[in-house]
Amino acid sequence: MPSKKKPQKLNRNFFVREVLTVAKELLGKIIVKKNDVTLSGKIVEVEAYNGDIDEAAHTFTGKTKRNSIMFGEGGFFYVYFTYGAHYCCNVVTGFEGQGTAVLIRAVEPIDGIELMIENRFGKKFATEKEILNLTNGPGKVCQAFGITKKHYGLDLTGDEIFLLNQPKVKDENIVVTKRIGIKKSVDLPWRFYIKNNPYISRR
DNA sequence: ATCAAGATTACCT
DNA sequence: GGTAATCTTGATA
């Protein structure tokens, strides 16, 4: 009997490519975080940042202590804290020295939904509406998954947090728009999300 | 040592 | 739709 093929972890080569390519291909992939409970979700919305030409990127003004991981090789986790309340998580892309990354803006919950509800709302149960609000924004994704600065610089080809390969989302099912919540380089069409997915952050 | 800004969210009218 | 909350980082002195 032909057994169903298990999805494989994305390896270093996937991440060490041009940031816009990686951003688009990250759609539909599954992010997994292993603890006592395994949490996972399908990536449905991302934004690309490129310090070479993009004034909104944290790496635009050069290397600092905070953004140094973004200048490393692709496949590492860049987590930062903002607005005094929220963590946002990024997947570093490209070669050593490039300063590019993809912000994970929204995921569709798959495994460990009970724990995500607890992390986000501090209770065990949630209404359908609340479940749609679990992970539909970058700060919410980090809160639901319990991602903090402890995970800064983590190797995404390791065993704690990693990504599982999935079939590519077809171009006709990808919506391309301008990015959200930034004040510089606002016209770059570097936000990508899966068409008609209920878990994207609207706004 | 001090200060301003920020890749957001939740709650208000 | 508008805005307060909240604190880390990086820049300036």
Side-chain angles (χ1 to χ4, degrees):
Chain A
M1 286 292 277
S3 63
K4 204 171 148 190
K5 206 174 154 191
K6 217 168 128 188
Q8 295 213 308
K9 269 185 211 178
L10 297 180
N11 61 23
R12 185 77 60 211
N13 292 337
F14 178 90
F15 301 105
V16 183
R17 292 183 297 161
E18 208 280 316
V19 62
L20 293 175
T21 308
V22 179
K24 259 188 280 190
E25 292 195 17
L26 274 175
L27 291 175
K29 302 292 186 279
I30 294 176
I31 181 166
V32 183
K33 179 167 181 280
K34 295 231 177 205
N35 280 77
D36 308 337
V37 182
T38 297
L39 298 172
S40 72
K42 183 169 86 171
I43 297 172
V44 297
E45 179 181 348
V46 297
E47 283 178 5
Y49 288 86
N50 178 352
D52 289 340
I53 52 173
D54 170 13
E55 288 185 66
H58 288 166
T59 46
F60 184 73
T61 49
K63 194 168 180 173
T64 64
K65 193 176 166 192
R66 181 211 209 183
N67 66 23
S68 61
I69 195 72
M70 258 180 90
F71 285 99
E73 198 178 27
F76 290 85
F77 219 31
Y78 171 43
V79 182
Y80 66 90
F81 192 74
T82 192
Y83 291 99
H86 308 288
Y87 289 99
C88 296
C89 60
N90 302 244
V91 174
V92 177
T93 63
F95 295 100
E96 177 92 33
Q98 274 190 306
T100 58
V102 177
L103 171 69
I104 297 176
R105 289 194 52 89
V107 307
E108 178 179 325
I110 299 174
D111 291 314
I113 294 180
E114 295 81 6
L115 182 56
M116 293 189 201
I117 292 167
E118 209 167 320
N119 286 342
R120 287 267 297 125
F121 305 119
K123 58 184 186 182
K124 302 253 183 206
F125 302 100
T127 63
E128 255 182 63
K129 201 172 168 185
E130 284 174 324
I131 286 177
L132 283 173
N133 271 308
L134 265 184
T135 52
N136 61 341
K140 298 177 185 180
V141 171
C142 286
Q143 196 184 1
F145 277 73
I147 292 168
T148 70
K149 64 188 299 178
K150 278 192 306 197
H151 304 98
Y152 180 94
L154 201 75
D155 187 347
L156 294 172
T157 65
D159 289 325
E160 189 176 348
I161 299 177
F162 52 87
L163 293 134
L164 292 178
N165 198 13
Q166 291 293 122
K168 263 187 216 178
V169 177
K170 291 184 186 136
D171 274 351
E172 64 256 37
N173 292 321
I174 296 178
V175 182
V176 182
T177 70
K178 295 173 188 177
R179 292 173 299 178
I180 287 178
I182 54 173
K183 297 194 176 69
K184 302 168 199 159
S185 301
V186 290
D187 289 328
L188 293 171
W190 285 1
R191 172 172 177 242
F192 307 96
Y193 63 88
I194 298 178
K195 192 189 265 183
N196 295 330
N197 188 287
Y199 292 90
I200 63 163
S201 70
R202 285 144 217 274
R203 191 179 270 235

